[in-house]
Amino acid sequence: MTWNINQNDMEYKPVKAPRGSEISCKSWQTEAPMRMLMNNLDPEVAEIPEQLIVYGGSGKAARNWECFYAIIETLKNLDTDETLLVQSGKPVGVFKTFESAPRVLIANSLLVPNWANWDYFRKLEALGLMMYGQMTAGSWIYIGTQGILQGTYETFAACARRHFMNRNLEVAPTGGGSLKGKFVLSAGMGGMSGAQPMAVTMNEGVILDVEVDKRRIEKRIKQGFCDTQVASLDEALKLVDEAVKKKIPKSIGLVGNASETHPELVRRGIIPDVVTDQTSAHDELNGYVPGGMSFEDAIELRERNPDEYIKHSYESMARQMEAMLEMQKQGAIVFDYGNNIRAQALKAGVKDAFNIKGFVLEYIRPMFCEGKGPFRWVALSGKKEDIWKIDKVILNEFKYNDTLTRWIRLAREKVPFQGLPARICWLGQGERARFGKIINNLVSTGEITAPIVIGRDHLDCGSVASPNRETEAMLDGSDAIADWPVLNALLNTASGATWVSVHHGGGVGIGYSIHSGQVICADGTKEMEERIERVLTNDPGIGIARHADAGYEKAIETAKEKGIQIPMTKKKG
């Protein structure tokens, strides 16, 4: 089918994925990616849906609206043994493959290394030849703020266990450290960063989250992720002080700019217990908003003079980073939360920016060595009850995992659904495949009213090469080796995932990462049970192999325990 739609003549109409058990595609294996693409652009889910921007500065679900509608129509007509190819958000071909092959293969933002920079990417983007897919935006498995919430919750919990275990009389219900009575400072309250307020309060702490766009704070409050909004630093600090003294969880969204508030806190001698950042610093043009001007003036400058805007962005990131470094010197626990602000500040002349360590290196890598990572599922029926039934199964099947069961109970109580109902949790090797088969059986027996899609963030144990984030300071120095995410995508394709993607630049920006994703649709059939077991065994399995190859003892032990065959294994260092 050929499309000749004039992009300029297209009027934006809000998108919402179909619900229920009736399908408009030829099978659930094509209905699933269609619904999830549409769900990414649901106004409840996407940050700027009219521009197809899902999250992360400029992370898009499709290149333009003409491409979006062409993808939808192609999926509706795709046969059960055909595969659609999507190149940076544009459908470029349909090919005969196999019924057990993926129905969609996606490549986003991939550039030859010598040309892999924001300037060249933006030239191609302006020509309509590429789009920035972020991680789960262009791979159609974004589920809103919940998508990063548990990982953020786990990160702050690990931070509390390491640094405050012996300082608090109170401990968290999991038996680990607590942030009770601790002051956490961060910035950013967008689609992903909006998880920070709830993640901190779930760990019983107090957070001041600085955000330049008051509409984002208002949105997080409306959704239930943040408690309150204030417009002045003095008012914010008063609320922080009261909550810290009373040792009660509290999240405060401050309308302001971190490049201004953070230096002012240092000037006043106010040093938080924990400091991090989740602004869209990875993108100095379409993500980060510079200080020294109003939000409205900054957006006007972005349109009028991009080069001048970028100059101000780098200057502001430098000021913010210098304040964070000073807080670290004065006793704060400071870590980079994966937005590449250290590398950006280094470009701006802050030579010691990497004195601050990244969150994966500090808190997450031991879990990666066991094949643990952010596992998520979405009810294509649109019924909350289907997710609640799965919640009950988790609480029964994984009752030995106190951290997991506590998370599920907290999520049921506190976390709102955005778009199609979804849930996320961190599961490891063996657990993912076991759980996936349970879900497929629930669909088969009719206990769940429609198929479930099972996927993950690209931030996983074996699907990313990102030297400033997931693969920072690898034991064997293999930080920048990008073979692993490509192998991950190839393995998931061979294993029979429903759709597979390979992206460039997610999280940290163009030139800094290569990563892959997979999604599989549990439609209740015997065939999908077999494919689910293969995919959900192999996907985390390659993560264990990657860390074992780098010499991590825990990964080597896990590989032996789980029967993962690694021809050459030796401990490094």
Side-chain angles (χ1 to χ4, degrees), residues 238-506:
K238 181 180 178 182
L239 293 174
V240 168
D241 188 56
E242 289 174 355
V244 167
K245 286 179 178 176
K246 293 178 181 178
K247 295 187 176 181
I248 57 173
K250 186 78 173 178
S251 56
I252 301 110
L254 170 62
V255 182
N257 193 293
S259 69
E260 298 167 356
T261 56
H262 290 29
E264 177 61 17
L265 288 172
V266 171
R267 190 189 68 79
R268 296 187 190 190
I270 298 172
I271 306 301
D273 297 291
V274 179
V275 181
T276 189
D277 183 68
Q278 281 197 37
T279 59
S280 293
H282 65 278
D283 187 342
E284 63 276 5
L285 177 60
N286 295 309
Y288 195 86
V289 178
M293 64 190 81
S294 70
F295 174 69
E296 293 74 19
D297 286 346
I299 300 306
E300 189 275 331
L301 177 63
R302 177 188 285 171
E303 296 296 323
R304 176 172 49 83
N305 192 336
D307 290 340
E308 186 68 14
Y309 182 97
I310 289 171
K311 176 176 175 289
H312 283 287
S313 278
Y314 278 121
E315 291 171 351
S316 294
M317 280 189 263
R319 287 195 301 272
Q320 182 182 345
M321 178 56 65
E322 286 166 350
M324 292 170 69
L325 286 164
E326 185 57 36
M327 290 174 181
Q328 183 183 54
K329 289 176 185 176
Q330 295 192 39
I333 306 302
V334 184
F335 61 90
D336 177 301
Y337 208 98
N339 61 353
N340 216 30
I341 192 170
R342 295 174 298 172
Q344 297 286 65
L346 184 64
K347 282 185 183 178
V350 183
K351 295 181 180 179
D352 53 353
F354 278 84
N355 285 356
I356 293 172
K357 302 302 180 186
F359 79 107
V360 172
L361 178 62
E362 290 289 280
Y363 307 118
I364 302 298
R365 186 158 297 150
M367 290 191 277
F368 280 177
C369 290
E370 298 180 82
K372 291 181 179 177
F375 182 85
R376 62 183 64 179
W377 55 98
V378 184
L380 295 178
S381 66
K383 294 183 178 180
K384 299 176 182 179
E385 293 80 5
D386 285 346
I387 295 297
W388 293 338
K389 287 176 184 177
I390 297 173
D391 286 343
K392 290 181 179 178
V393 171
I394 292 177
L395 293 173
N396 181 58
E397 291 291 327
F398 300 98
K399 54 191 173 186
Y400 58 85
N401 187 329
D402 291 339
T403 302
L404 172 58
T405 54
R406 178 172 185 256
W407 159 255
I408 292 296
R409 292 189 181 98
L410 284 169
R412 291 191 66 169
E413 175 188 347
K414 296 177 179 292
V415 179
F417 294 128
Q418 296 169 256
L420 291 171
R423 186 72 78 220
I424 186 168
C425 72
W426 281 51
L427 291 176
Q429 180 70 12
E431 294 176 323
R432 300 192 203 190
R434 173 183 158 202
F435 187 43
K437 289 172 68 177
I438 290 171
I439 290 175
N440 195 63
N441 184 62
L442 291 172
V443 176
S444 178
T445 60
E447 292 180 65
I448 290 175
T449 59
I452 301 288
V453 296
I454 302 169
R456 57 161 172 77
D457 194 354
H458 291 200
L459 186 163
D460 199 15
C461 54
S463 56
V464 192
S466 184
N468 290 345
R469 198 163 88 168
E470 289 87 348
T471 53
E472 178 180 357
M474 293 294 289
L475 199 60
D476 63 346
S478 60
D479 306 23
I481 293 177
D483 297 338
W484 292 100
V486 175
L487 287 171
N488 177 273
L490 293 170
L491 180 60
N492 279 315
T493 299
S495 300
T498 303
W499 68 97
V500 179
S501 56
V502 183
H503 294 200
H504 168 212

Side-chain angles (χ1 to χ4, degrees), residues 41 72 100 117 166 184 201 277 345 368 399 409 431 504 549:
L41 293 170
I72 296 298
S100 60
N117 58 71
N166 298 323
V184 178
T201 57
D277 183 68
F368 280 177
K399 54 191 173 186
R409 292 189 181 98
E431 294 176 323
H504 168 212
D549 187 72

Side-chain angles (χ1 to χ4, degrees), residues 20-233:
S21 57
E22 297 296 320
I23 65 174
S24 58
C25 297
K26 294 185 177 181
S27 78
W28 275 109
Q29 297 303 312
T30 45
E31 181 80 14
M34 185 194 76
R35 290 195 186 188
M36 292 307 297
L37 166 59
M38 297 175 77
N39 191 62
N40 265 20
L41 293 170
D42 188 315
E44 292 182 12
V45 178
E47 287 298 294
I48 315 176
E50 60 272 19
Q51 297 179 30
L52 298 110
I53 293 174
V54 182
Y55 77 95
S58 58
K60 299 174 76 172
R63 195 182 301 182
N64 53 48
W65 284 110
E66 181 182 359
C67 290
F68 168 82
Y69 286 111
I71 292 170
I72 296 298
E73 193 64 26
T74 304
L75 287 170
K76 286 183 177 181
N77 290 284
L78 201 68
D79 284 335
T80 56
D81 61 350
E82 291 180 327
T83 296
L84 166 64
L85 302 185
V86 178
Q87 180 262 320
S88 283
K90 177 183 178 180
V92 293
V94 172
F95 295 90
K96 187 74 72 175
T97 53
F98 303 95
E99 286 197 16
S100 60
R103 297 284 66 85
V104 186
L105 294 173
I106 300 169
N108 275 315
S109 320
L110 296 171
L111 291 164
V112 173
N114 195 52
W115 287 264
N117 58 71
W118 275 118
D119 287 344
Y120 195 79
F121 168 81
R122 288 178 183 131
K123 289 176 184 177
L124 296 174
E125 185 181 38
L127 291 170
L129 299 175
M130 295 198 90
M131 74 169 201
Y132 182 49
Q134 257 292 354
M135 288 192 162
T136 53
S139 58
W140 313 341
I141 190 62
Y142 184 69
I143 60 171
T145 301
Q146 184 189 176
I148 195 176
L149 180 57
Q150 195 200 359
T152 311
Y153 162 77
E154 295 282 0
T155 298
F156 281 119
C159 175
R161 282 193 296 272
R162 176 179 299 183
H163 300 291
F164 305 123
M165 189 73 170
N166 298 323
R167 302 182 202 175
N168 285 346
L169 294 175
E170 303 88 348
V171 294
T174 56
S178 169
L179 290 175
K180 185 173 285 190
K182 300 301 177 185
F183 171 22
V184 178
L185 173 68
S186 191
M189 215 179 288
M192 301 294 275
S193 51
Q196 295 178 105
M198 185 179 285
V200 170
T201 57
M202 279 181 163
N203 280 287
E204 306 174 301
V206 180
I207 180 170
L208 174 59
D209 196 342
V210 183
E211 166 60 54
V212 296
D213 186 350
K214 67 178 181 179
R215 296 169 299 178
R216 287 186 165 185
I217 302 177
E218 290 165 356
K219 184 175 182 178
R220 302 309 159 216
I221 291 173
K222 183 178 180 180
Q223 292 171 333
F225 289 102
C226 184
D227 295 330
T228 190
Q229 173 179 312
V230 296
S232 78
L233 181 58

Side-chain angles (χ1 to χ4, degrees), residues 542-563:
I542 192 175
I544 294 169
R546 192 268 181 270
H547 286 82
D549 187 72
Y552 287 92
E553 185 175 345
K554 184 62 180 176
I556 294 169
E557 292 172 357
T558 303
K560 290 178 180 177
E561 177 189 339
K562 301 297 182 180

Side-chain angles (χ1 to χ4, degrees), residues 3-11 64-66:
W3 283 75
N4 294 302
I5 297 173
N6 186 333
Q7 178 75 9
N8 296 323
D9 293 339
M10 298 185 71
E11 180 181 351
N64 53 48
W65 284 110
E66 181 182 359

